[in-house]
Amino acid sequence: MPRHQRRPSILMAFAVVLFGIGLGFGTGPAQARLNIEVTGGVEAAQPIAVVPFGVSDGLIPPVDIAAVISADLARTGRFRAMPTRDMLDMPARHEDVDLRDWRLLGMNNLVIGRVEADGAGYRVSFILYDVFRGDQLASSTLVSTKDGMRNTAHRIADIIYQKLTGQRGVAATRIAYVTATGQGEGQTVTLRVADADGYNPQTIVSSGEPIMSPAWSPDGRRIAYVSFENKRAAIYIQELASGRRELVASHPGINGSPAFSPDGRKLAMTLSKDGNPDIYVLDLTSRELVRLTDHFAIDTEPSWSPDGQQIIFTSDRGGSPQIYRMGSGGGPAQRISSEGDYNARASYSPDGRSIVLVSRANGRFRIGVIDLDRGFMRVLSNGSLDESPSFAPNGSMVIYATIHGGRGVLAAASIDGGGNQRLSQDSGEVREPAWSPFIK
């Protein structure tokens, strides 16, 4: 059966019973960067002008700061950045700004800035204006290294986004994902981490065997994942900065679906070492392993609530895969998904008020969000095989895996219905996305 026709099963985190053990069958060499295409936005997106930053004499910055900021804001779907070619003037200092020009151009906001040398690095300053009120809404100066200039631009974009929306921005966060290139014995599967705009990819681990289920630690410094590099499933935790990794679960049978607790001290997972797949929690300091479920059904895909008090998981104990909730110490489980005959791969929003999941309707697997207070589900995606959803740390978007042009790509959908994106490589497949927490 072709890759794009595979049907997800309840054990979506396991290679043996997952969408397909290969994670994709693209050909050709792996490309370093994810290509991002904005496929939709909010109709009432705010017009904003980010003027090319001025530079001191003879200075050639390694990054076009204004271009990165504009792209970051445009990807949210909430802003429409003015093309540079349409600008009547390009001020870089406060005294050179005439807001009347920008009112005539219909801009709500204006951003100007400068880049100056600062020893071996750079000093980047900016000002954000409310064009119609004439107010300075924000201004700051950030110090950056040469290699850190893109991140500096992302940080400025996040300051602007938060000032204009009241919500923390995610331009400076990162995304983990799995790529697959080649076929058969020549296939290479790689776990990578990149900036939210697809730049600066970092290879975490690469193998000829499946890698899946990446999960971030709450401090953004470690990633847990499942690897089949020794021909059997095992769960590892790897430090991003040093590359040091630790084997934390390699029991007989299934070892899958790792999920860090909100305090980073425990790891929930699915193990079948005692028979059926059940939910367990491993204390990462004491190494005490506690079994939370003990049921003849399949229990898998645990995810913690933001306060650490509850765990949701997928179970077919009612006859079909559905989402259940229990206390983080175990106990009775309550079904919380009600629509459809298949719901799986759920995780909480950052505020704990909703969950994102994969839901089947009319034979199509799509991404939905359930409001836990009201109980209704809203569908975010429109593909036929959408999977692996992950909330942005501010809860504004969900990234997920889908099929486009016959191969695996990533997509992101805004919770408010705009700002859709598609993320792909020039060759091969991209799967299993996981959005990082805010990087401190």
Side-chain angles (χ1 to χ4, degrees):
M1 182 180 291
R3 173 66 175 85
H4 65 279
Q5 293 180 359
R6 288 193 183 89
R7 183 174 67 87
S9 74
I10 183 175
L11 295 180
M12 299 175 77
F14 308 145
V16 177
V17 286
L18 185 64
F19 293 62
I21 195 166
L23 288 177
F25 300 95
T27 59
Q31 301 299 307
R33 183 172 70 86
L34 287 175
N35 303 310
I36 298 184
E37 175 188 1
V38 177
T39 58
V42 178
E43 289 186 8
Q46 300 181 47
I48 187 170
V50 184
V51 179
F53 280 29
V55 296
S56 54
D57 292 342
L59 189 66
I60 304 177
V63 172
D64 185 338
I65 295 288
V68 175
I69 294 171
S70 294
D72 286 343
L73 294 175
R75 278 197 312 277
T76 69
R78 302 184 69 168
F79 296 93
R80 185 175 67 254
M82 185 182 199
T84 304
R85 65 178 179 274
D86 294 339
M87 296 179 183
L88 300 179
D89 192 16
M90 296 187 184
R93 301 179 189 275
H94 172 67
E95 55 267 27
D96 298 327
V97 172
D98 187 341
L99 292 178
R100 292 174 297 181
D101 294 339
W102 303 99
R103 292 190 193 108
L104 290 173
L105 293 170
M107 294 296 106
N108 286 358
N109 298 100
L110 171 69
V111 179
I112 67 168
R114 285 189 61 81
V115 181
E116 299 174 321
D118 184 54
Y122 300 91
R123 188 168 60 254
V124 184
S125 58
F126 78 96
I127 303 174
L128 168 66
Y129 295 92
D130 183 314
V131 170
F132 288 93
R133 294 183 178 179
D135 298 333
Q136 288 189 33
L137 300 179
S139 63
S140 186
T141 298
L142 290 74
V143 177
S144 176
T145 63
K146 178 180 178 180
D147 292 340
M149 284 290 272
R150 286 195 71 87
N151 183 257
T152 297
H154 294 324
R155 290 165 59 197
I156 293 174
D158 285 342
I159 294 171
I160 294 169
Y161 181 89
Q162 184 167 9
K163 193 66 181 180
L164 296 180
T165 69
Q167 186 178 51
R168 194 171 176 181
V170 296
T173 59
R174 309 196 78 192
I175 295 171
Y177 55 96
V178 174
T179 68
T181 58
Q183 294 180 339
E185 294 184 358
Q187 185 180 63
T188 299
V189 183
T190 304
L191 173 60
R192 289 197 174 104
V193 170
D195 294 348
D197 65 351
Y199 281 79
N200 298 326
Q202 172 189 357
T203 294
I204 306 304
V205 64
S206 187
S207 174
E209 303 297 333
I211 301 168
M212 59 192 60
S213 303
W216 290 88
S217 64
D219 61 6
R221 297 178 180 177
R222 298 172 293 166
I223 286 184
Y225 58 90
V226 178
S227 174
F228 280 74
E229 61 198 67
N230 294 317
K231 308 297 183 181
R232 57 182 292 180
I235 299 175
Y236 293 88
I237 295 177
Q238 188 157 337
E239 294 179 356
L240 298 185
S242 67
R244 187 182 72 87
R245 72 172 186 165
E246 178 184 11
L247 176 65
V248 295
S250 183
H251 302 283
I254 292 169
N255 300 266
S257 303
F260 280 97
S261 62
D263 61 8
R265 298 176 180 177
K266 298 178 179 180
L267 193 72
M269 62 188 70
T270 302
L271 304 176
S272 64
K273 67 184 188 67
D274 296 317
N276 283 346
D278 278 301
I279 308 300
Y280 292 75
V281 169
L282 175 68
D283 187 303
L284 295 174
T285 300
S286 69
R287 288 299 189 256
E288 179 186 9
L289 184 66
V290 177
R291 184 176 184 174
L292 299 190
T293 65
D294 186 0
H295 200 278
F296 60 81
I298 295 173
D299 296 336
T300 184
E301 299 170 346
S303 179
W304 301 77
S305 62
D307 62 6
Q309 298 301 304
Q310 297 177 326
I311 289 178
I312 54 175
F313 62 98
T314 306
S315 177
D316 66 351
R317 60 183 61 192
S320 67
Q322 297 293 339
I323 307 303
Y324 291 79
R325 177 172 55 196
M326 64 180 172
S328 58
Q334 172 194 7
R335 177 173 164 175
I336 59 174
S337 59
S338 58
E339 298 183 33
D341 61 358
Y342 182 104
N343 292 287
R345 199 65 179 265
S347 59
Y348 279 93
S349 62
D351 62 9
R353 296 178 180 177
S354 60
I355 62 171
V356 66
L357 75 167
V358 178
S359 183
R360 181 175 62 193
N362 300 319
R364 301 168 70 89
F365 293 87
R366 295 179 175 176
I367 306 303
V369 173
I370 296 178
D371 184 307
L372 293 177
D373 290 331
R374 301 177 184 176
F376 71 85
M377 182 173 69
R378 183 159 52 92
V379 176
L380 295 183
S381 69
N382 59 6
S384 60
L385 187 55
D386 302 335
E387 57 167 341
S388 305
S390 174
F391 269 109
N394 66 357
S396 67
M397 301 190 80
V398 169
I399 193 169
Y400 60 95
T402 187
I403 300 294
H404 179 73
R407 64 191 181 99
V409 300
L410 305 183
S414 175
I415 295 298
D416 61 14
N420 296 334
Q421 308 168 30
R422 185 180 301 122
L423 303 84
S424 63
Q425 291 187 150
D426 291 337
S427 63
E429 302 213 6
V430 192
R431 311 297 292 174
E432 298 273 335
W435 213 314
S436 80
F438 288 114
I439 307 299
K440 298 179 180 180

